[in-house]
Amino acid sequence: MTNPYPVPPADMDADVAYDAVLLLSFGGPEGPDDVVPFLENVTRGRGIPKERLVEVGQHYFLFGGRSPINDQNKALIAALEADLAAEGIDLPVYWGNRNWAPYLVDAVRQMAADGRQRVACIATSAYSSWSSCRQYRDNIEEAVAAVPGAPRIDKIRWFADHPGFVAAVADRTIEAIDDLPEATRADARLVFVTHSIPTAMNAESGPDGDAYLTQHLGVAATVAARVAEMTGQHRDHELVFCSRSGSPRTPWLEPDVNDRLEELAADGVRAVVLIPVGFVSDHMEVVYDLDTEALATAEKLGIEARRAGTAGVDPRFVAALRELALERPIETCAAHCCLPRSTP
């Protein structure tokens, strides 16, 4: 195979380049019988009783016990393959998950069997923290250690600041604004939403701490500025959180999106656009926490609300992932990033 990227990272032999791409994701159940076993995988080691997992699983049962994330990953793989082909890059794309089939270790076994030696890994999580970055790095190390002859796998850095991601999110935001009633459109508040994490985990995120929150605030400000430029209308914006879990005694990032909607209604806000900037596709935290719960809260409060789409398979986002995966040298996380001292 001709190497389309001939300049290797500094620690690579001159004649070695990436010979595959790996999409690494969270995973999700494919049917009702998978829900509790999947949640057991997600929470392994935390001592959460099965009764609580059944309760949490109701979110999945509302959607037939099936997470949308697997179909979205299949669509993203197809988009990546098409993008690579359009650029004349002959690289296969593999897929492995942390918590459900196809499992990461099985993908590594297949890559080893296929003779792959150096793999660029794209994780479907765009920000820095233990759960959204470091844990994936640890998963990769464990899978490689378990497979004789496994390839070296380099995970790309956090990527939500990439112009391709920002452009896709901004366009989805404008589409949601345009869907609001004309009378409230100009005054709509931009409410960026991401997955909450423990405050201690945020404090340890990135090489210097607080990266998870800082990165989100920066990306939200960039998207809001781009939307203002494209629409000619400045709108107030803020960052809120969803999907809190774990012990109520453990501090997590706040405010919760539903709590904040109540405050905005009390302040006279008439319209909001919920922008799931912390997610790259419309998986369970989006379709349940926002589409089901938050939109119901807004309706109860008399707020006109629309939910913006995610980057998904927007061609600019897909191209961004390809660029990040195949840049030379690949920009990876520092060894001391996102240490897991205070994980839940």
Side-chain angles (χ1 to χ4, degrees):
M1 179 180 67
T2 301
N3 173 19
Y5 290 89
V7 182
D11 63 340
M12 288 176 64
D13 297 333
D15 59 348
V16 176
Y18 291 119
D19 54 13
V21 175
L22 169 67
L23 186 73
L24 174 57
S25 195
F26 192 79
E30 289 281 10
D33 292 342
D34 298 339
V35 171
V36 171
F38 162 73
L39 293 173
E40 288 174 337
N41 286 345
V42 173
T43 61
R44 182 169 287 115
R46 300 184 196 175
I48 298 176
K50 187 171 183 178
E51 297 76 23
R52 174 58 181 158
L53 298 181
V54 172
E55 180 183 343
V56 173
Q58 296 306 313
H59 298 178
Y60 289 93
F61 294 132
L62 288 174
F63 298 89
R66 192 170 189 270
S67 171
I69 194 171
N70 290 327
D71 285 343
Q72 289 159 10
N73 281 330
K74 292 173 186 176
L76 182 55
I77 289 169
L80 279 167
E81 290 173 337
D83 177 85
L84 289 165
E87 294 294 317
I89 302 170
D90 181 19
L91 290 179
V93 181
Y94 294 81
W95 175 26
N97 290 324
R98 173 190 293 169
N99 297 301
W100 203 248
Y103 287 103
L104 172 59
V105 69
D106 294 326
V108 174
R109 288 193 185 99
Q110 187 61 58
M111 289 188 290
D114 293 343
R116 307 302 173 190
Q117 296 181 343
R118 191 74 178 241
V119 178
C121 176
I122 300 167
T124 57
S125 184
Y127 297 89
S128 297
S129 78
W130 177 80
S131 61
S132 60
C133 185
R134 181 62 181 244
Q135 190 177 10
Y136 283 114
R137 291 170 57 192
D138 293 345
N139 296 151
I140 291 169
E141 292 178 6
E142 292 166 1
V144 166
V147 177
R152 171 165 172 172
I153 302 175
D154 299 325
K155 177 188 172 297
I156 66 171
R157 66 165 178 88
W158 78 281
F159 55 78
D161 63 339
H162 194 288
F165 180 79
V166 169
V169 174
D171 281 3
R172 302 295 86 77
T173 300
I174 292 170
E175 291 167 2
I177 292 170
D178 290 343
D179 193 47
L180 285 165
E182 187 172 357
T184 61
R185 199 174 296 159
D187 298 327
R189 190 178 190 90
L190 305 183
V191 179
F192 292 87
V193 190
T194 191
H195 202 301
S196 185
I197 62 173
T199 56
M201 187 188 296
N202 172 63
E204 295 165 355
S205 62
D208 303 311
D210 294 324
Y212 185 80
L213 182 57
T214 300
Q215 290 167 0
H216 276 88
L217 291 171
V219 174
T222 302
V223 172
R226 183 180 177 95
V227 170
E229 179 182 0
M230 296 174 69
T231 63
Q233 174 72 50
H234 170 79
R235 294 173 175 83
D236 291 336
H237 78 275
E238 61 187 285
L239 178 69
V240 303
F241 303 91
C242 68
S243 307
R244 189 199 192 288
S245 62
S247 170
R249 296 185 297 275
T250 301
W252 284 53
L253 295 176
E254 296 178 334
D256 174 77
V257 58
N258 296 285
D259 295 340
R260 184 56 181 152
L261 286 172
E262 292 186 0
E263 295 172 349
L264 292 175
D267 290 341
V269 172
R270 299 187 301 158
V272 301
V273 173
L274 302 174
I275 307 158
V277 72
F279 308 93
V280 301
S281 63
D282 294 4
H283 47 81
M284 188 56 68
E285 286 81 357
V286 177
V287 299
Y288 181 80
D289 292 19
L290 299 188
D291 293 352
T292 304
E293 285 195 328
L295 290 182
T297 297
E299 183 179 12
K300 178 187 69 176
L301 296 168
I303 297 177
E304 287 284 353
R306 299 293 185 272
R307 197 267 290 175
T310 48
V313 293
D314 185 291
R316 295 162 297 182
F317 175 53
V318 175
L321 295 178
R322 181 246 307 155
E323 291 169 6
L324 288 164
L326 300 179
E327 64 188 355
R328 290 293 194 264
I330 192 168
E331 185 177 351
T332 59
C333 301
H336 61 287
C337 274
C338 306
L339 296 177
R341 289 186 297 271
S342 298
T343 55

